[in-house]
């Protein structure tokens, strides 16, 4: 693809488009947005077709509203069947999810997979298959034993100088390989008292210099709640670094708004830890979201889980790493799946 063969439609501004077709040489041809050239509205051609077909009454403004995307997420087999043909294995898996990691796909991410084959890597990230229901003797519900390192609700304190702060159990998409599938997707919210106890715990432990705000996905919370959380962490003098772990630039890029950035900017040094699985996730919308984050001074890193049939080959992994660097996301971790 080249700049004249636009993959996306940018509205209210001239398009400065990003190519990420899978037939590129690894790392080649991916364009980036220059500063001050980020289109205010951006919808890929594939997403436009999807919106017109399945959400014909939805305006582009609504489509680009992250709350609309969350409200209209696909969470049931009936909703999913309306937009895509499912395999027997997928149907059986979805029908047996009760008590397990739920199904959830944003309309945006659905637009990337609705017309794909059963082995498509993006589809396999979010559509359950029946193998997920099998549990071998060596698998554990909480493979990192986080519950035993949790002194107060929401805090995991495994390493002396840092804590994991799971501020929500909600994500906009549920990844089928999630290491926290024992807790993510459950209706177990932190109340104000839980937050206060967590802040007090961090404040009482002077050895903690690094707080990783994670979940679930913290960026599914409102700007006001994020402001409250980050403000209270920043009040603690010995906390030097705050990190946010999120997948929204990939699955809900509409969430990266100017208003969110104005909240986050108040709490530098703030690192954003992203999560990518495949180069096809680097859509124009995702590039726009990462560009906005990078332009606002947030160091971006990516963690990737090694996944069979999705990214366990050198060509795919190399393409992913090269493309991440081109959008100013530094590949940071490559994980082997937890058991
Ligand atoms: S976004 Fe992260 S926490 Fe949420 S389901 Fe995916 S891997 Fe799990």
């Amino acid at each position: 693809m080249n700049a004249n063969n636009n993959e996306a439609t940018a509205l209210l501004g001239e398009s400065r488009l990003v190519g990420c077709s899978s037939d590129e040489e690894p790392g080649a041809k991916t364009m980036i947005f220059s500063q001050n050239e980020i289109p205010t509205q951006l919808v890929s051609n594939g997403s436009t077709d999807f919106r017109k077909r399945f959400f014909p009454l939805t305006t582009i403004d609504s489509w680009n509203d992250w709350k609309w995307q969350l409200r209209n997420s696909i969470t049931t087999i009936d909703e999913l069947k309306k937009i895509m043909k499912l395999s027997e294995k997928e149907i059986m898996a979805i029908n047996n999810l009760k008590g397990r990691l739920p199904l959830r796909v944003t309309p945006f991410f659905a637009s990337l997979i609705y017309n794909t084959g059963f082995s498509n890597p993006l589809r396999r990230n979010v559509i359950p298959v029946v193998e997920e229901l099998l549990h071998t003797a060596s698998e554990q519900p909480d493979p990192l034993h986080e519950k035993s390192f949790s002194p107060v609700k929401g805090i995991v304190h495994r390493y002396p100088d840092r804590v994991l702060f799971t501020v929500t159990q909600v994500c906009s998409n549920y990844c089928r390989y999630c290491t926290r599938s024992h807790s993510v997707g459950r209706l177990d919210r932190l109340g104000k008292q839980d937050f206060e106890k967590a802040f007090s715990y961090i404040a009482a432990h002077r050895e903690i210099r690094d707080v990783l705000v994670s979940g679930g996905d913290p960026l599914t919370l409102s700007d006001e709640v994020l402001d409250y959380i980050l403000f209270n962490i920043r009040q603690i003098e010995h906390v030097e670094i705050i990190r946010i772990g999120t997948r929204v630039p990939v699955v809900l890029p509409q969430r990266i708004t100017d208003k969110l950035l104005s909240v986050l900017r108040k709490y530098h040094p703030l690192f954003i830890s992203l999560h990518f699985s495949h180069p096809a996730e680097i859509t124009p919308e995702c590039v726009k979201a990462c560009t906005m984050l990078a332009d606002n001074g947030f160091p971006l890193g990516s963690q990737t889980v090694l996944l069979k049939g999705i990214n366990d080959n050198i060509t795919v992994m190399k393409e992913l790493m090269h493309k991440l660097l081109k959008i100013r996301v530094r590949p940071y971790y490559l994980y082997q799946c937890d058991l």
Side-chain angles (χ1 to χ4, degrees):
M1 154 160 198
N2 60 47
N4 296 322
N5 180 15
N6 291 351
E7 184 175 302
T9 304
L11 302 173
L12 308 181
E14 231 180 286
S15 57
R16 304 288 192 277
L17 297 173
V18 182
C20 47
S21 62
S22 58
D23 58 352
E24 289 179 7
E25 286 296 308
K29 289 186 186 170
T30 303
M31 297 176 66
I32 59 169
F33 296 116
S34 304
Q35 217 164 4
N36 303 322
E37 290 184 335
I38 303 171
T40 51
Q41 295 274 38
L42 177 73
V43 184
S44 297
N45 289 345
S47 292
T48 299
D49 294 343
F50 178 86
R51 178 178 59 83
K52 286 183 177 166
R53 186 162 162 197
F54 297 108
F55 295 92
L57 301 179
T58 301
T59 63
I60 290 173
D61 280 349
S62 295
W63 178 267
N64 278 325
D65 175 352
W66 67 277
K67 291 180 184 168
W68 181 93
Q69 289 280 334
L70 281 184
R71 275 198 308 276
N72 288 280
S73 292
I74 294 155
T75 59
T76 68
I77 191 162
D78 291 339
E79 290 167 344
L80 200 56
K81 276 180 173 170
K82 281 183 193 154
I83 62 156
M84 63 199 290
K85 185 170 162 35
L86 298 173
S87 71
E88 288 302 312
K89 278 180 157 189
E90 290 170 333
I91 292 170
M92 192 185 296
I94 297 166
N95 281 335
N96 285 281
L97 281 184
K98 198 159 186 253
R100 302 170 191 263
L101 184 70
L103 168 75
R104 184 166 194 167
V105 187
T106 57
F108 167 72
F109 203 81
S111 76
L112 306 180
I113 62 169
Y114 75 105
N115 53 3
T116 59
F118 302 134
S119 60
N120 178 273
L122 270 55
R123 175 183 182 130
R124 294 193 58 196
N125 265 312
V126 291
I127 306 299
V129 286
V130 74
E131 287 82 358
E132 181 179 325
L133 306 176
L134 304 173
H135 282 270
T136 63
S138 54
E139 285 178 272
Q140 300 176 38
D142 177 11
L144 301 176
H145 303 286
E146 290 183 336
K147 285 183 184 159
S148 60
F149 287 100
S150 181
V152 297
K153 191 171 175 183
I155 294 286
V156 177
H157 195 178
R158 179 194 303 277
Y159 306 106
D161 70 340
R162 62 201 61 196
V163 288
L164 170 71
F165 191 176
T166 53
V167 295
T168 178
Q169 299 299 343
V170 172
C171 302
S172 49
N173 267 24
Y174 290 120
C175 314
R176 304 324 303 172
Y177 51 84
C178 179
T179 198
R180 280 194 199 102
S181 55
H182 60 89
S183 57
V184 162
R186 310 289 192 273
L187 289 173
D188 186 19
R189 299 176 54 171
L190 293 189
K192 187 140 193 289
Q193 281 192 344
D194 299 316
F195 277 114
E196 300 295 335
K197 280 186 191 162
F199 300 139
S200 299
Y201 180 86
I202 299 169
H205 289 261
R206 299 191 58 78
E207 71 275 21
I208 298 170
R209 44 171 287 284
D210 178 358
V211 177
L212 172 57
V213 178
S214 185
D217 195 320
L219 296 191
T220 57
L221 296 172
S222 69
D223 295 338
E224 292 72 24
V225 173
L226 284 167
D227 203 4
Y228 161 76
I229 294 168
L230 295 172
F231 175 83
N232 278 283
I233 297 173
R234 262 285 162 257
Q235 296 311 298
I236 303 169
E237 264 182 32
H238 53 265
V239 173
E240 298 169 3
I241 291 168
I242 303 175
R243 290 181 285 159
I244 291 181
T246 180
R247 190 157 158 75
V248 302
V250 175
V251 296
L252 181 65
Q254 298 80 6
R255 176 66 184 103
I256 307 303
T257 61
D258 289 335
K259 185 161 173 262
L260 172 68
L261 294 169
S262 71
V263 170
L264 300 183
R265 268 199 311 268
K266 294 189 284 184
Y267 303 108
H268 277 303
L270 182 61
F271 290 68
I272 309 284
S273 183
L274 302 170
H275 168 187
F276 286 82
S277 297
H278 193 275
E281 293 174 339
I282 305 178
T283 58
E285 288 90 337
C286 171
V287 177
K288 179 187 171 190
C290 291
T291 301
M292 291 170 74
L293 288 165
D295 284 354
N296 278 273
F298 302 107
L300 306 177
S302 170
Q303 45 191 11
T304 296
V305 181
L306 192 59
L307 295 165
K308 186 176 176 185
I310 293 179
N311 59 24
D312 61 337
N313 92 48
I314 290 171
T315 306
V316 170
M317 192 60 80
K318 188 174 171 187
E319 183 181 356
L320 173 61
M321 300 296 149
H322 284 179
K323 285 187 167 171
L324 286 174
L325 287 169
K326 292 184 84 168
I327 60 169
R328 292 182 279 173
V329 178
R330 193 175 182 84
Y332 187 41
Y333 283 128
L334 177 59
Y335 288 112
Q336 192 164 14
C337 247
D338 298 311
L339 283 175

